PDB file of all heavy atoms in Angstrom:
ATOM      1  N   ILE A  44      -3.104  24.547  -2.512  1.00 94.00           N
ATOM      2  CA  ILE A  44      -2.101  23.776  -1.773  1.00 94.00           C
ATOM      3  C   ILE A  44      -1.352  22.830  -2.708  1.00 94.00           C
ATOM      4  O   ILE A  44      -0.132  22.676  -2.619  1.00 94.00           O
ATOM      5  CB  ILE A  44      -2.748  22.966  -0.624  1.00 94.00           C
ATOM      6  CG1 ILE A  44      -3.296  23.911   0.446  1.00 94.00           C
ATOM      7  CG2 ILE A  44      -1.739  21.999   0.009  1.00 94.00           C
ATOM      8  CD1 ILE A  44      -4.115  23.213   1.519  1.00 94.00           C
ATOM      9  N   PHE A  45      -2.089  22.188  -3.626  1.00 93.00           N
ATOM     10  CA  PHE A  45      -1.462  21.181  -4.474  1.00 93.00           C
ATOM     11  C   PHE A  45      -1.155  21.676  -5.884  1.00 93.00           C
ATOM     12  O   PHE A  45      -0.926  20.887  -6.786  1.00 93.00           O
ATOM     13  CB  PHE A  45      -2.339  19.913  -4.512  1.00 93.00           C
ATOM     14  CG  PHE A  45      -2.347  19.206  -3.192  1.00 93.00           C
ATOM     15  CD1 PHE A  45      -3.376  19.396  -2.290  1.00 93.00           C
ATOM     16  CD2 PHE A  45      -1.292  18.377  -2.830  1.00 93.00           C
ATOM     17  CE1 PHE A  45      -3.356  18.770  -1.052  1.00 93.00           C
ATOM     18  CE2 PHE A  45      -1.268  17.745  -1.600  1.00 93.00           C
ATOM     19  CZ  PHE A  45      -2.303  17.945  -0.700  1.00 93.00           C
ATOM     20  N   GLY A  46      -1.145  22.977  -6.052  1.00 91.00           N
ATOM     21  CA  GLY A  46      -0.585  23.577  -7.269  1.00 91.00           C
ATOM     22  C   GLY A  46      -1.484  23.560  -8.497  1.00 91.00           C
ATOM     23  O   GLY A  46      -0.995  23.740  -9.610  1.00 91.00           O
ATOM     24  N   ASP A  47      -2.784  23.324  -8.353  1.00 93.00           N
ATOM     25  CA  ASP A  47      -3.677  23.375  -9.514  1.00 93.00           C
ATOM     26  C   ASP A  47      -4.962  24.079  -9.102  1.00 93.00           C
ATOM     27  O   ASP A  47      -5.964  23.444  -8.786  1.00 93.00           O
ATOM     28  CB  ASP A  47      -3.967  21.974 -10.051  1.00 93.00           C
ATOM     29  CG  ASP A  47      -4.761  22.005 -11.355  1.00 93.00           C
ATOM     30  OD1 ASP A  47      -5.277  23.087 -11.724  1.00 93.00           O
ATOM     31  OD2 ASP A  47      -4.867  20.959 -12.014  1.00 93.00           O
ATOM     32  N   PHE A  48      -4.877  25.392  -9.133  1.00 94.00           N
ATOM     33  CA  PHE A  48      -5.977  26.224  -8.670  1.00 94.00           C
ATOM     34  C   PHE A  48      -7.234  26.006  -9.512  1.00 94.00           C
ATOM     35  O   PHE A  48      -8.336  25.910  -8.991  1.00 94.00           O
ATOM     36  CB  PHE A  48      -5.536  27.687  -8.758  1.00 94.00           C
ATOM     37  CG  PHE A  48      -6.181  28.559  -7.750  1.00 94.00           C
ATOM     38  CD1 PHE A  48      -5.984  28.341  -6.415  1.00 94.00           C
ATOM     39  CD2 PHE A  48      -6.989  29.596  -8.139  1.00 94.00           C
ATOM     40  CE1 PHE A  48      -6.592  29.135  -5.461  1.00 94.00           C
ATOM     41  CE2 PHE A  48      -7.599  30.403  -7.196  1.00 94.00           C
ATOM     42  CZ  PHE A  48      -7.396  30.181  -5.860  1.00 94.00           C
ATOM     43  N   PHE A  49      -7.034  25.915 -10.822  1.00 94.00           N
ATOM     44  CA  PHE A  49      -8.155  25.780 -11.764  1.00 94.00           C
ATOM     45  C   PHE A  49      -9.006  24.557 -11.413  1.00 94.00           C
ATOM     46  O   PHE A  49     -10.233  24.668 -11.310  1.00 94.00           O
ATOM     47  CB  PHE A  49      -7.604  25.659 -13.187  1.00 94.00           C
ATOM     48  CG  PHE A  49      -8.668  25.458 -14.222  1.00 94.00           C
ATOM     49  CD1 PHE A  49      -9.261  26.541 -14.849  1.00 94.00           C
ATOM     50  CD2 PHE A  49      -9.087  24.183 -14.579  1.00 94.00           C
ATOM     51  CE1 PHE A  49     -10.250  26.357 -15.801  1.00 94.00           C
ATOM     52  CE2 PHE A  49     -10.077  23.989 -15.535  1.00 94.00           C
ATOM     53  CZ  PHE A  49     -10.651  25.073 -16.132  1.00 94.00           C
ATOM     54  N   THR A  50      -8.360  23.408 -11.239  1.00 94.00           N
ATOM     55  CA  THR A  50      -9.109  22.180 -10.931  1.00 94.00           C
ATOM     56  C   THR A  50      -9.834  22.311  -9.599  1.00 94.00           C
ATOM     57  O   THR A  50     -10.983  21.892  -9.459  1.00 94.00           O
ATOM     58  CB  THR A  50      -8.165  20.962 -10.907  1.00 94.00           C
ATOM     59  OG1 THR A  50      -7.512  20.867 -12.163  1.00 94.00           O
ATOM     60  CG2 THR A  50      -8.922  19.680 -10.628  1.00 94.00           C
ATOM     61  N   GLY A  51      -9.175  22.908  -8.625  1.00 96.00           N
ATOM     62  CA  GLY A  51      -9.805  23.082  -7.318  1.00 96.00           C
ATOM     63  C   GLY A  51     -11.049  23.960  -7.396  1.00 96.00           C
ATOM     64  O   GLY A  51     -12.094  23.640  -6.822  1.00 96.00           O
ATOM     65  N   ILE A  52     -10.950  25.057  -8.132  1.00 96.00           N
ATOM     66  CA  ILE A  52     -12.097  25.960  -8.279  1.00 96.00           C
ATOM     67  C   ILE A  52     -13.208  25.255  -9.057  1.00 96.00           C
ATOM     68  O   ILE A  52     -14.397  25.366  -8.714  1.00 96.00           O
ATOM     69  CB  ILE A  52     -11.700  27.248  -9.031  1.00 96.00           C
ATOM     70  CG1 ILE A  52     -10.617  28.011  -8.287  1.00 96.00           C
ATOM     71  CG2 ILE A  52     -12.902  28.146  -9.195  1.00 96.00           C
ATOM     72  CD1 ILE A  52     -10.050  29.143  -9.102  1.00 96.00           C
ATOM     73  N   PHE A  53     -12.822  24.523 -10.087  1.00 95.00           N
ATOM     74  CA  PHE A  53     -13.813  23.825 -10.914  1.00 95.00           C
ATOM     75  C   PHE A  53     -14.584  22.804 -10.077  1.00 95.00           C
ATOM     76  O   PHE A  53     -15.824  22.778 -10.091  1.00 95.00           O
ATOM     77  CB  PHE A  53     -13.106  23.129 -12.082  1.00 95.00           C
ATOM     78  CG  PHE A  53     -14.027  22.332 -12.959  1.00 95.00           C
ATOM     79  CD1 PHE A  53     -14.954  22.966 -13.769  1.00 95.00           C
ATOM     80  CD2 PHE A  53     -13.975  20.943 -12.968  1.00 95.00           C
ATOM     81  CE1 PHE A  53     -15.822  22.223 -14.568  1.00 95.00           C
ATOM     82  CE2 PHE A  53     -14.829  20.206 -13.768  1.00 95.00           C
ATOM     83  CZ  PHE A  53     -15.752  20.846 -14.569  1.00 95.00           C
ATOM     84  N   ILE A  54     -13.863  21.982  -9.337  1.00 96.00           N
ATOM     85  CA  ILE A  54     -14.509  20.966  -8.502  1.00 96.00           C
ATOM     86  C   ILE A  54     -15.360  21.649  -7.430  1.00 96.00           C
ATOM     87  O   ILE A  54     -16.508  21.261  -7.178  1.00 96.00           O
ATOM     88  CB  ILE A  54     -13.461  20.023  -7.855  1.00 96.00           C
ATOM     89  CG1 ILE A  54     -12.810  19.156  -8.932  1.00 96.00           C
ATOM     90  CG2 ILE A  54     -14.100  19.162  -6.769  1.00 96.00           C
ATOM     91  CD1 ILE A  54     -11.690  18.266  -8.423  1.00 96.00           C
ATOM     92  N   GLY A  55     -14.808  22.681  -6.805  1.00 96.00           N
ATOM     93  CA  GLY A  55     -15.554  23.404  -5.768  1.00 96.00           C
ATOM     94  C   GLY A  55     -16.865  23.982  -6.301  1.00 96.00           C
ATOM     95  O   GLY A  55     -17.903  23.891  -5.644  1.00 96.00           O
ATOM     96  N   SER A  56     -16.811  24.550  -7.504  1.00 95.00           N
ATOM     97  CA  SER A  56     -18.025  25.137  -8.100  1.00 95.00           C
ATOM     98  C   SER A  56     -19.071  24.070  -8.394  1.00 95.00           C
ATOM     99  O   SER A  56     -20.262  24.272  -8.156  1.00 95.00           O
ATOM    100  CB  SER A  56     -17.687  25.856  -9.406  1.00 95.00           C
ATOM    101  OG  SER A  56     -16.669  26.778  -9.203  1.00 95.00           O
TER     102      SER A  56
END
Side-chain angles (χ1 to χ4, degrees):
Chain A
I44 293 172
F45 291 97
D47 187 348
F48 209 62
F49 178 90
T50 302
I52 300 170
F53 177 69
I54 291 176
S56 306

